[in-house]
Amino acid sequence: WRSKEANEDLRHVAALAPPPPRVPPRHALALPARLLLLLFRRSPPPRSILPHQLESPTPNRPADLPEPSPRNGNAASRLRGRRARGGRAPPAERLRRPPPLVARAVRVPEAPGLGRPQEAVVLPRRRRPCRLRDLPRHAPHLHPAPVPRVRLPLDERQLVALAVYAILLMPGFLQVGYYYFFSSQVHRSIVYGEQPRNRLDLYIPKDNRRPCPVVAFVTGGAWIIGYKAWGALLGRRLAERGIIVACIDYRNFPQGRIGDMVSDASQGISFVCNNIASYGGDPNKIYLMGQSAGAHISACALMEQAVKESSGQPISWSVTQIKAYFGLSGGYNIHNLVDHFHQRGLNRSIFLSIMDGEESLSRYSPEIVVKESSARTIALLPHIFLMHGTDDYSIPSSARKSFYYASPSAFQFTKTNFPWHLSLGIFCS
């Protein structure tokens, strides 16, 4: 359907088109990252001719072209002709009709030997349709427009993205899970109290001939899903460096409220301080650490114990036994976090129920307790190191600044650009 001169003109235009740019070699993680990007980005518009090349679109079949006959037409026409003659229709697998090509009016740019700009119409052949492999790869304006991509709904896209993310993390989870359940260095579910969740895990180094330093770690979990196994990666990394790690478990909401959580954490710290020597630990080198909600709970237990000790009340462990406290991405002023957690999905009424009501927010805010404490109580506190990622949105990084300004003499804080809630493994490695 094209004249010989039109074919030569189109080949000449394709020869003048620039070659495609060279694609650099991709990274090993490019494919998983590209899958995640494809799931969340908006579908681009279908590729077509440039605006200055398109004059006026024409329909798939001009009106002056005759319809195909049953003998020499396409598969659907032959099927209708066969049914009209009383024949047997072929199976559906044989009717593989390719998508029709879109006819376009293309303005051929001015080139040597062609004179002024001309117009050419690209139409499919009648007997054998034009195939993509017959067109030059470096002339994309000659290719037919691709079929629009089917977009999944937002909830299905999120589900697929979550499944891909879980599959990518599965090898690491399996490795840590095997270490947690089958390693001889892990002593799981050691009882330290009377409640069902009063358990802790000990990660013992291989070489424990001499007393080792000890880290009592309180895991996070938004006061609802905390569990001692969340510290398996931290325990493994520190045990490889000759440090004993005790991951303390505690009651979660609704089994207990914040008072029960602080009490459980205090009992676990007491067990570590009084019994770690029998496991090869050094009772003079005990460090306290908490992450997220665990940082808040451990800070409350530390301040509560310091207030009791300074007022002469009976205690089961001394604050002076703790050499340093490390708070990772914790919240220390609950008054400032009620609205933030409500916007993040933790309902205000549920959060106030966890904190024993609005009247108990000041009692369980370590920042406010430090401001109201006496100089004798502050003197008992160990060195406090606060670490919080500036890109952390679960708990704003300003929480550790306000806690620091409450008593600068006892605090040191470190800021980083890593979101610690998502990258605790970076700290472990």
Side-chain angles (χ1 to χ4, degrees):
W1 293 92
R2 290 194 301 251
S3 63
K4 184 177 180 181
E5 292 77 7
N7 289 331
E8 293 179 358
D9 293 343
L10 290 177
R11 282 194 291 270
H12 182 70
V13 172
L16 294 178
R22 182 180 178 184
V23 180
R26 295 182 178 178
H27 193 264
L29 297 179
L31 181 58
R34 187 172 180 84
L35 289 176
L36 294 178
L37 289 176
L38 289 176
L39 289 172
F40 285 102
R41 74 172 186 177
R42 294 179 178 270
S43 60
R47 186 178 60 184
S48 59
I49 297 179
L50 298 179
H52 68 277
Q53 296 178 333
L54 182 61
E55 284 291 332
S56 59
T58 58
N60 291 344
R61 178 171 294 278
D64 56 343
L65 296 181
E67 288 293 333
S69 62
R71 292 186 176 274
N72 56 3
N74 52 23
S77 301
R78 292 195 299 270
L79 175 60
R80 289 195 298 267
R82 185 172 299 181
R83 286 178 176 174
R85 295 191 299 270
R88 183 178 180 182
E93 292 79 3
R94 300 180 185 177
L95 300 179
R96 298 179 180 178
R97 179 184 179 184
L101 297 177
V102 179
R104 297 191 180 104
V106 181
R107 176 178 289 274
V108 181
E110 184 176 357
L114 295 179
R116 62 181 181 83
Q118 302 177 2
E119 293 185 359
V121 179
V122 181
L123 295 175
R125 290 177 179 269
R126 183 176 181 182
R127 295 296 182 88
R128 184 179 65 86
C130 183
R131 293 171 295 184
L132 291 179
R133 65 183 182 183
D134 297 335
L135 301 175
R137 294 181 180 274
H138 59 276
H141 59 278
L142 299 180
H143 289 259
V147 180
R149 184 165 56 101
V150 178
R151 295 183 59 190
L152 296 176
L154 185 59
D155 52 351
E156 295 184 7
R157 291 168 56 193
Q158 291 179 346
L159 181 61
V160 173
L162 181 62
V164 173
Y165 184 71
I167 292 173
L168 294 177
L169 295 181
M170 189 59 66
F173 280 125
L174 293 177
Q175 186 178 7
V176 176
Y178 182 83
Y179 172 82
Y180 179 76
F181 288 104
F182 299 102
S183 177
S184 60
Q185 299 177 242
V186 182
H187 297 215
R188 295 183 289 112
S189 299
I190 298 177
V191 179
Y192 68 82
E194 298 179 355
Q195 297 297 327
R197 294 291 297 270
N198 291 166
R199 305 289 187 271
L200 59 85
D201 296 335
L202 285 179
Y203 298 84
I204 310 297
K206 293 182 179 180
D207 186 9
N208 56 352
R209 291 172 294 182
R210 294 185 300 176
C212 303
V214 183
V215 172
F217 182 59
V218 183
T219 61
W223 302 275
I224 299 176
I225 57 172
Y227 188 58
K228 56 187 175 61
W230 303 160
L233 182 58
L234 177 68
R236 178 180 181 180
R237 295 307 184 196
L238 294 183
E240 293 174 353
R241 290 160 175 79
I243 302 175
I244 296 178
V245 179
C247 292
I248 301 173
D249 200 5
Y250 53 90
R251 283 172 286 179
N252 293 162
F253 182 82
Q255 294 179 344
R257 301 178 185 268
I258 184 63
D260 302 324
M261 302 177 195
V262 174
S263 176
D264 292 349
S266 182
Q267 290 185 34
I269 298 171
S270 175
F271 179 87
V272 172
C273 293
N274 299 326
N275 301 279
I276 200 60
S278 59
Y279 295 93
D282 189 352
N284 298 320
K285 294 182 180 181
I286 299 177
Y287 303 87
L288 180 61
M289 179 183 293
Q291 190 262 339
S292 188
H296 168 254
I297 294 172
S298 56
C300 289
L302 186 66
M303 293 304 305
E304 185 180 88
Q305 197 70 12
V307 171
K308 289 182 180 180
E309 189 172 352
S310 62
S311 60
Q313 300 181 24
I315 55 175
S316 59
W317 60 281
S318 175
V319 178
T320 57
Q321 294 178 267
I322 306 298
K323 294 300 178 182
Y325 168 76
F326 297 89
L328 277 68
S329 60
Y332 310 102
N333 192 335
I334 304 302
H335 284 282
N336 300 335
L337 297 177
V338 176
D339 295 334
H340 174 77
F341 287 141
H342 183 74
Q343 296 176 358
R344 297 288 297 177
L346 183 56
N347 190 272
R348 180 181 285 103
S349 60
I350 297 178
F351 183 70
L352 292 178
S353 299
I354 296 174
M355 297 298 160
D356 281 339
E358 191 172 358
E359 63 277 1
S360 301
L361 295 181
S362 300
R363 177 185 176 186
Y364 295 108
S365 296
E367 177 185 335
I368 299 178
V369 176
V370 167
K371 293 180 180 179
E372 298 176 353
S373 299
S374 61
R376 183 178 179 181
T377 302
I378 300 299
L380 294 175
L381 294 177
H383 292 290
I384 298 178
F385 299 86
L386 303 179
M387 291 171 282
H388 211 123
T390 55
D391 293 339
D392 187 2
Y393 297 103
S394 298
I395 297 180
S397 59
S398 59
R400 58 95 166 71
K401 291 183 179 180
S402 57
F403 193 22
Y404 166 77
Y405 291 130
S407 180
S409 59
F411 291 81
Q412 298 182 18
F413 70 90
T414 304
K415 72 175 183 177
T416 175
N417 290 327
F418 292 112
W420 287 103
H421 274 92
L422 303 178
S423 302
L424 183 60
I426 298 177
F427 174 79
C428 300
S429 59

